Amino acid sequence: MVQKISLAFQNIVLSQIVKISERVREKAVEFEKTHKKPFIRFQRGDLGIDIPAYVRDAINEGLEKGLTKYPKSGGEPWFKDAVINHLEEMGIKNIKRDNVIATYGGQEGLQLVFSLFRGSKCLAFSPCWSCMLDNIFPYSETDYKLLPLKENFEIDFDEFEKNLKHSDILYLNNPHNPTGKVFTYEELERINHLCKKYDVLIVSDEAYKDIIFDNNRFHSMLEFDNKDVVSVFTFSKSFAATGFRAGYTVSRNSFIIEKMTLGDYSQTAGVVTFIQYAFKVALENKEEKDKWLKWFLNKLKKRRDIAYEELKEFVKDVYKPGGTFYFFVNLKDLIKKEVKNYDEYILDLLIENGVAVTPGSAFGRDFEGFIRISTSALEENLIKEGIKRIGEIFKSI
Ligand SMILES: Cc1ncc(COP(=O)(O)O)c(C=O)c1O
């Protein structure tokens, strides 16, 4: 019977990030007992910050309102209206209810849209978010090709155009996990132009849209006049609400949303209604939202800045992320001896010394010897201590 399990399920693998977290669980206890210092976890993109109080209150309010019955397929009209107004504030006009679907986080939005185009040829920049490689692409039997970003994570537009000719879908992730790159308007405009030229659907994963620093500006692909754009959003990162599993997907192509809604109904019957209510309030209470985002971004920026300063001490040309809470760092050049598998070597060395990171190959084969550091879950003192520790290890080998 087992052989009859569909190809999609046979090909899904446990995410490397989860694997590392499991591997670290026992090691961390042992390390802390022996060394009397904290084991420092940089591997997960979860937030060590509570959700905003006004969103928590809104959950109770939703329950008191009796929003506990079957949801409306695809999302409640009042939820969709809150999303539409929010997009309008971002300068994205002419979105109607039938262009929006409520989802269980960004992950469900991505899973639905790729399942809709099951077996398609997809182009994606690499490094690429590991969950796409381990889960979403195999689950939807997507035939994907990775196009490596150049030095400084720039796009090689010649190669991009060549590859686009043979693709049905582009998976774009902006701001970008794991590099923290925020794509410029000019880059997005060029991407949009080329995708239109070759009739390629753009699936734009905009999970980190609110986590932007310095003079960078986020631009959604929905800003362009293109029906073949599907933008996937989530509340997970913007509101430190990863456990709520709430998000929304938007496309000017209402047929795509209609089909996604049927898929969503078939698999979940819709997003829990009082959760939709909480995030309607999260978006509509502008005063509280602005206050929260200001506080939240200030905290994340301090974490980024500390990590950057510490990394600069031992890594040449550290890429300063313009958004997200990740650093993607090449450690290969710091290793002077012959090593068979750089990722294994680095991971073992770091775990032995009380630090966990995600290895580069989780984001594409070309990135063995890189590590992804996530600063989202830790306070500044631990970030500083953890990166100092990495520096000391690599200075001593
Ligand atoms: C690039 C990217 N897209 C989408 C998601 C999906 O997030 P969620 O399913 O929690 O909304 C994540 C989560 O880590 C992510 O890093």
Side-chain angles (χ1 to χ4, degrees):
M1 207 54 206
V2 178
Q3 306 89 291
K4 291 191 177 168
I5 288 177
S6 79
L7 203 62
F9 276 85
Q10 284 180 42
N11 289 338
I12 304 175
V13 292
L14 190 64
S15 136
Q16 285 226 43
I17 302 172
V18 176
K19 267 193 227 161
I20 293 155
S21 299
E22 284 177 6
R23 181 166 154 196
V24 155
R25 202 167 295 147
E26 279 171 33
K27 287 270 180 197
V29 177
E30 217 178 280
F31 178 88
E32 289 181 350
K33 217 162 119 190
T34 317
H35 298 278
K36 307 272 179 289
K37 51 185 184 183
F39 190 97
I40 298 172
R41 292 168 173 83
F42 284 126
Q43 81 275 19
R44 279 207 96 161
D46 211 342
L47 284 137
I49 294 173
D50 210 354
I51 55 161
Y54 82 103
V55 178
R56 185 167 339 121
D57 292 344
I59 296 166
N60 289 331
E61 220 178 280
L63 288 170
E64 278 158 21
K65 282 177 182 289
L67 297 173
T68 53
K69 301 291 184 273
Y70 280 129
K72 182 165 167 35
S73 178
E76 300 294 333
W78 38 260
F79 173 82
K80 293 187 175 194
D81 289 346
V83 167
I84 291 166
N85 288 334
H86 177 64
L87 293 173
E88 244 167 47
E89 278 167 25
M90 288 163 58
I92 299 161
K93 306 266 188 299
N94 297 323
I95 300 294
K96 307 277 184 300
R97 285 180 186 167
D98 62 1
N99 303 120
V100 180
I101 174 176
T103 61
Y104 279 104
Q107 205 157 317
E108 197 206 0
L110 289 165
Q111 181 262 317
L112 279 171
V113 68
F114 277 99
S115 295
L116 202 63
F117 295 96
R118 181 168 295 281
S120 299
K121 287 195 168 67
C122 175
L123 184 66
F125 294 116
S126 76
C128 177
W129 178 39
S130 52
C131 181
M132 297 305 296
L133 308 178
D134 295 337
N135 304 96
I136 308 278
F137 289 153
Y139 192 53
S140 54
E141 296 171 82
T142 298
D143 178 9
Y144 68 89
K145 175 156 188 202
L146 298 181
L147 178 66
L149 291 167
K150 292 193 296 191
E151 209 172 312
N152 239 355
F153 307 127
E154 299 285 332
I155 302 168
D156 183 337
F157 272 104
D158 290 337
E159 279 303 309
F160 178 64
E161 183 163 4
K162 261 188 232 159
N163 281 284
L164 213 52
K165 288 178 190 167
H166 312 291
S167 310
D168 306 308
I169 301 181
L170 171 73
Y171 168 69
L172 179 71
N173 170 214
N174 173 41
H176 186 241
N177 175 5
T179 64
K181 174 184 170 77
V182 179
F183 288 71
T184 63
Y185 187 81
E186 290 68 32
E187 283 174 319
L188 297 175
E189 202 173 31
R190 220 166 147 189
I191 290 171
N192 183 57
H193 169 76
L194 289 170
C195 286
K196 269 182 125 169
K197 182 171 170 187
Y198 295 107
D199 196 19
V200 172
L201 177 80
I202 303 172
V203 176
S204 185
D205 177 351
E206 304 179 0
Y208 296 88
K209 77 172 177 65
D210 289 313
I211 306 180
I212 303 277
F213 309 114
D214 314 323
N215 298 323
N216 293 288
R217 259 206 79 189
F218 166 73
H219 290 282
S220 170
M221 281 316 289
L222 292 170
E223 290 177 32
F224 299 99
D225 178 25
N226 183 352
K227 270 204 147 195
D228 289 332
V229 166
V230 180
S231 283
V232 179
F233 299 97
T234 173
F235 297 106
S236 287
K237 312 291 173 174
S238 306
F239 292 94
T242 49
F244 282 74
R245 316 304 311 127
Y248 53 97
T249 293
V250 182
S251 176
R252 294 187 189 280
N253 188 333
S254 56
F255 188 70
I256 289 181
I257 298 296
E258 189 186 324
K259 288 290 175 196
M260 284 176 73
T261 302
L262 291 173
D264 173 70
Y265 181 75
S266 307
Q267 62 191 19
T268 71
V271 175
V272 174
T273 324
F274 64 85
I275 298 288
Q276 288 189 54
Y277 180 79
F279 287 104
K280 163 194 137 69
V281 173
L283 293 179
E284 283 182 345
N285 190 336
K286 238 183 107 38
E287 196 185 328
E288 287 293 341
K289 185 181 73 177
D290 291 348
K291 214 161 75 186
W292 156 261
L293 280 176
K294 194 167 168 217
W295 176 86
F296 182 55
L297 284 182
N298 185 36
K299 203 166 178 66
L300 293 180
K301 185 175 180 302
K302 277 193 193 147
R303 292 178 180 185
R304 181 204 62 166
D305 290 345
I306 285 216
Y308 181 64
E309 289 309 316
E310 287 302 324
L311 280 166
K312 270 200 321 196
E313 293 291 314
F314 61 98
V315 181
K316 228 174 70 194
D317 304 325
V318 182
Y319 183 83
K320 192 174 190 177
T324 75
F325 27 68
Y326 303 114
F327 282 84
F328 200 56
V329 184
N330 186 356
L331 293 183
K332 201 169 171 178
D333 301 343
L334 301 178
I335 303 168
K336 303 285 178 285
K337 58 182 171 190
E338 254 322 286
V339 171
K340 219 168 152 197
N341 181 328
Y342 282 92
D343 275 359
E344 276 306 312
Y345 177 77
I346 292 169
L347 216 59
D348 286 346
L349 202 59
L350 292 184
I351 290 177
E352 219 174 276
N353 286 280
V355 183
V357 296
T358 310
S361 59
F363 306 95
R365 250 185 255 128
D366 298 318
F367 297 97
E368 201 186 297
F370 280 69
I371 58 168
R372 187 192 75 171
I373 291 176
S374 169
T375 58
S376 58
L378 302 170
E379 290 298 336
E380 288 157 47
N381 59 332
L382 282 182
I383 293 171
K384 194 173 170 128
E385 186 179 334
I387 296 183
K388 259 199 168 47
R389 227 185 262 174
I390 301 176
E392 275 153 24
I393 300 162
F394 279 85
K395 273 182 214 153
S396 70
I397 56 167

Coordinates of all heavy atoms in Angstrom, one line a residue, residues 45 104-108 110 129 171 173 177 205 207-208 234-237 242 245-246 326, ligand 1:
G45 N 13.0 31.3 12.0 CA 12.5 32.7 11.8 C 11.2 33.0 12.6 O 10.3 33.6 12.1
Y104 N -4.7 30.3 5.6 CA -3.9 30.0 6.9 C -2.5 30.3 6.7 O -1.7 29.5 6.3 CB -4.1 28.5 7.2 CG -5.4 28.2 7.9 CD1 -6.5 27.7 7.2 CD2 -5.6 28.6 9.2 CE1 -7.7 27.5 7.9 CE2 -6.8 28.4 9.9 CZ -7.9 27.9 9.2 OH -9.1 27.7 9.8
G105 N -2.2 31.6 6.8 CA -0.8 32.0 6.7 C -0.4 32.1 5.2 O -1.1 31.8 4.3
G106 N 0.9 32.6 5.0 CA 1.4 32.7 3.7 C 1.6 31.3 3.1 O 1.4 31.1 1.9
Q107 N 1.9 30.3 4.0 CA 2.2 29.0 3.5 C 1.0 28.4 2.7 O 1.2 27.8 1.7 CB 2.6 28.1 4.6 CG 3.5 27.0 4.2 CD 4.4 26.4 5.3 OE1 4.9 27.2 6.1 NE2 4.4 25.1 5.4
E108 N -0.2 28.6 3.3 CA -1.4 28.0 2.6 C -1.6 28.8 1.2 O -2.0 28.1 0.2 CB -2.7 28.1 3.4 CG -3.7 27.1 2.8 CD -5.1 27.5 3.1 OE1 -5.4 28.5 3.8 OE2 -6.0 26.8 2.6
L110 N 0.6 30.0 -0.7 CA 1.6 29.5 -1.7 C 1.3 28.1 -2.1 O 1.3 27.8 -3.3 CB 3.0 29.5 -1.0 CG 3.6 30.9 -0.8 CD1 4.8 30.9 0.1 CD2 4.0 31.5 -2.2
W129 N 13.9 30.5 -0.2 CA 13.4 30.0 1.1 C 13.2 28.5 1.1 O 12.6 27.9 0.2 CB 12.0 30.7 1.3 CG 11.3 30.3 2.6 CD1 11.9 30.1 3.8 CD2 9.9 30.1 2.7 NE1 10.9 29.7 4.7 CE2 9.7 29.7 4.1 CE3 8.8 30.2 1.9 CZ2 8.5 29.4 4.6 CZ3 7.6 29.9 2.4 CH2 7.4 29.5 3.8
Y171 N 8.7 32.4 -9.1 CA 8.5 32.6 -7.6 C 9.4 33.7 -7.2 O 10.7 33.6 -7.3 CB 8.7 31.3 -6.9 CG 8.8 31.5 -5.4 CD1 7.7 31.9 -4.6 CD2 10.0 31.4 -4.7 CE1 7.8 32.2 -3.3 CE2 10.1 31.7 -3.3 CZ 9.0 32.0 -2.6 OH 9.1 32.3 -1.3
N173 N 10.4 36.4 -4.0 CA 10.2 36.6 -2.6 C 10.9 37.9 -2.2 O 12.1 38.1 -2.3 CB 10.8 35.4 -1.8 CG 10.9 35.7 -0.3 OD1 11.8 35.2 0.3 ND2 9.9 36.4 0.2
N177 N 14.0 36.2 2.0 CA 14.5 35.2 2.9 C 15.3 34.2 2.1 O 14.8 33.6 1.2 CB 13.3 34.5 3.6 CG 13.8 33.4 4.6 OD1 14.9 33.2 4.8 ND2 12.8 32.7 5.1
D205 N 5.9 36.4 -3.1 CA 5.7 36.1 -1.7 C 6.2 37.4 -0.9 O 7.4 37.6 -0.9 CB 6.6 34.9 -1.4 CG 6.6 34.5 0.0 OD1 6.1 35.3 0.9 OD2 7.2 33.4 0.3
A207 N 5.8 38.1 2.4 CA 5.6 37.8 3.8 C 6.3 38.9 4.7 O 5.8 39.1 5.8 CB 6.2 36.5 4.1
Y208 N 7.4 39.5 4.2 CA 8.1 40.4 5.1 C 7.9 41.9 4.7 O 8.7 42.7 5.0 CB 9.6 40.1 5.1 CG 9.9 38.7 5.6 CD1 9.9 37.6 4.8 CD2 10.2 38.5 6.9 CE1 10.1 36.3 5.3 CE2 10.4 37.2 7.5 CZ 10.4 36.2 6.6 OH 10.6 34.9 7.1
T234 N 1.0 37.5 4.7 CA 0.8 36.8 6.0 C 0.8 37.8 7.1 O 1.5 38.9 7.0 CB 1.8 35.7 6.2 OG1 1.6 35.2 7.5 CG2 3.2 36.2 6.1
F235 N 0.1 37.5 8.2 CA 0.2 38.3 9.4 C 1.3 37.8 10.3 O 1.6 38.5 11.3 CB -1.1 38.3 10.2 CG -2.3 38.9 9.4 CD1 -3.2 38.1 8.8 CD2 -2.4 40.3 9.2 CE1 -4.3 38.6 8.1 CE2 -3.4 40.8 8.5 CZ -4.4 40.0 7.9
S236 N 1.9 36.7 10.0 CA 2.9 36.0 10.9 C 4.0 36.9 11.3 O 4.3 36.9 12.5 CB 3.5 34.8 10.1 OG 2.5 33.7 10.0
K237 N 4.6 37.6 10.3 CA 5.8 38.3 10.7 C 5.4 39.7 11.1 O 6.0 40.2 12.1 CB 6.8 38.4 9.5 CG 7.0 37.0 8.8 CD 7.8 36.1 9.6 CE 7.8 34.7 8.9 NZ 8.7 33.7 9.6
T242 N 3.1 34.2 14.4 CA 3.4 33.0 13.6 C 2.4 31.8 13.9 O 2.1 31.0 13.0 CB 4.8 32.6 13.8 OG1 5.1 32.6 15.2 CG2 5.8 33.5 13.1
R245 N -1.5 31.4 12.2 CA -1.7 30.8 10.8 C -2.7 31.7 10.1 O -3.7 31.1 9.6 CB -2.1 29.3 10.9 CG -1.3 28.5 11.8 CD 0.2 28.5 11.6 NE 0.6 28.3 10.3 CZ 1.4 29.1 9.6 NH1 1.9 30.2 10.2 NH2 1.7 28.9 8.3
A246 N -2.5 32.9 9.9 CA -3.4 33.8 9.2 C -2.7 34.7 8.2 O -1.6 35.2 8.4 CB -4.1 34.7 10.2
Y326 N 17.1 38.4 8.7 CA 18.1 37.3 8.4 C 19.4 37.9 7.9 O 19.4 39.0 7.3 CB 17.5 36.4 7.3 CG 16.2 35.8 7.6 CD1 15.1 36.1 6.9 CD2 16.1 34.9 8.7 CE1 13.8 35.5 7.3 CE2 14.9 34.3 9.0 CZ 13.8 34.6 8.3 OH 12.6 34.0 8.6
Ligands
LIG1 C1 9.7 33.8 2.7 C2 8.6 33.3 3.4 N1 7.4 33.2 2.9 C3 6.3 32.8 3.5 C4 6.4 32.4 4.8 C5 5.1 31.8 5.4 O1 4.8 32.2 6.6 P1 3.4 31.8 7.4 O2 3.0 30.5 6.7 O3 3.8 31.7 8.8 O4 2.5 32.9 7.1 C6 7.6 32.4 5.5 C7 7.8 32.0 6.9 O5 8.8 31.8 7.4 C8 8.7 32.9 4.8 O6 9.9 33.0 5.3

